[in-house]
Amino acid sequence: MLFKFNVNLSDKDYLNFNIFCAVKSYYGKKQITRLRIIISLLFLAFVVLTLIQECFSADAFMMLIPFLLALVLVQALIKPIHIWTLKLHIKALNKSEKKRYSPETEIEFYEESFIETAPENKMEAKYSSLERVSIVNGEAVYLHYNNLLGHILPMAVFESKTQYDSFIAFIKTKCKNVDVY
């Protein structure tokens, strides 16, 4: 065994992971960009249809000014609205169901694989099953299987800066997609 971490996650750690995945990560940035494009195309279709219906009159152009301002406002507020809805969704999930994560886990890292042991299950995975590793300086290291699933290693699991640096150097050799934020 090369590394062993006892991970104690809080609701805040889980929320930070989800916010990161939704708006800051490689996956989140792609999702936000797609959402921006879809919204812009819908507004553009509305503008074109309105102009055609009104025969490109000056009144039609004046009528579109509020819609274009609304587009700018929506584009500017996409991330905050996304974060707000994510917080509401997680709060509702926490009230209605059991937690979506294990508050206490142990993760052991070996040369070829890693093992997560939680009270409810034990899982072994090869490093090749990880799509991406996100290193959020001063906050956490996220090991992503995809855009929704992953492991959270908060900074508190590292005993020292030396252990943190050693782990980062190790994980960079095991996963080809490592992003530093």
Side-chain angles (χ1 to χ4, degrees):
M1 174 176 35
L2 300 170
F3 296 94
K4 179 179 179 178
F5 300 113
N6 292 315
V7 181
N8 295 307
L9 294 178
S10 66
D11 287 342
K12 185 175 179 2
D13 293 326
Y14 181 67
L15 177 63
N16 288 342
F17 171 72
N18 281 282
I19 289 172
F20 174 81
C21 287
V23 295
K24 296 179 187 173
S25 72
Y26 167 81
Y27 306 108
K29 287 179 182 176
K30 282 178 68 173
Q31 182 181 14
I32 294 290
T33 300
R34 286 182 188 138
L35 186 59
R36 287 181 192 276
I37 291 169
I38 289 168
I39 289 171
S40 296
L41 289 175
L42 290 173
F43 268 89
L44 180 63
F46 176 77
V47 165
V48 169
L49 289 174
T50 301
L51 289 173
I52 290 171
Q53 187 177 23
E54 297 294 323
C55 298
F56 294 92
S57 68
D59 289 339
F61 283 102
M62 294 302 291
M63 192 169 69
L64 291 175
I65 291 173
F67 291 107
L68 294 175
L69 292 175
L71 172 63
V72 170
L73 184 64
V74 167
Q75 293 287 359
L77 295 177
I78 282 179
K79 283 184 182 181
I81 290 170
H82 201 52
I83 291 170
W84 178 72
T85 56
L86 183 63
K87 286 179 181 179
L88 288 177
H89 180 69
I90 289 174
K91 191 181 286 188
L93 286 175
N94 284 341
K95 286 182 182 178
S96 66
E97 301 176 16
K98 71 175 195 154
K99 290 194 182 289
R100 296 279 190 186
Y101 64 94
S102 296
E104 296 179 13
T105 61
E106 179 181 273
I107 304 178
E108 298 172 339
F109 292 87
Y110 297 91
E111 191 60 40
E112 298 301 319
S113 64
F114 60 98
I115 299 171
E116 178 193 41
T117 307
E120 59 276 352
N121 66 1
K122 184 174 184 176
M123 183 196 80
E124 181 173 359
K126 300 247 184 239
Y127 296 105
S128 60
S129 65
L130 295 174
E131 275 187 17
R132 182 168 299 284
V133 174
S134 297
I135 302 167
V136 184
N137 285 327
E139 188 176 320
V141 176
Y142 302 130
L143 309 174
H144 303 276
Y145 291 105
N146 56 36
N147 63 332
L148 297 175
L149 297 174
H151 297 285
I152 304 168
L153 295 173
M155 290 305 289
V157 303
F158 300 102
E159 295 173 358
S160 66
K161 175 83 168 117
T162 305
Q163 184 189 38
Y164 170 79
D165 292 338
S166 296
F167 178 75
I168 297 303
F170 168 75
I171 204 69
K172 283 181 176 180
T173 66
K174 299 298 178 183
C175 187
K176 64 179 178 178
N177 296 317
V178 178
D179 302 319
V180 179
Y181 296 88

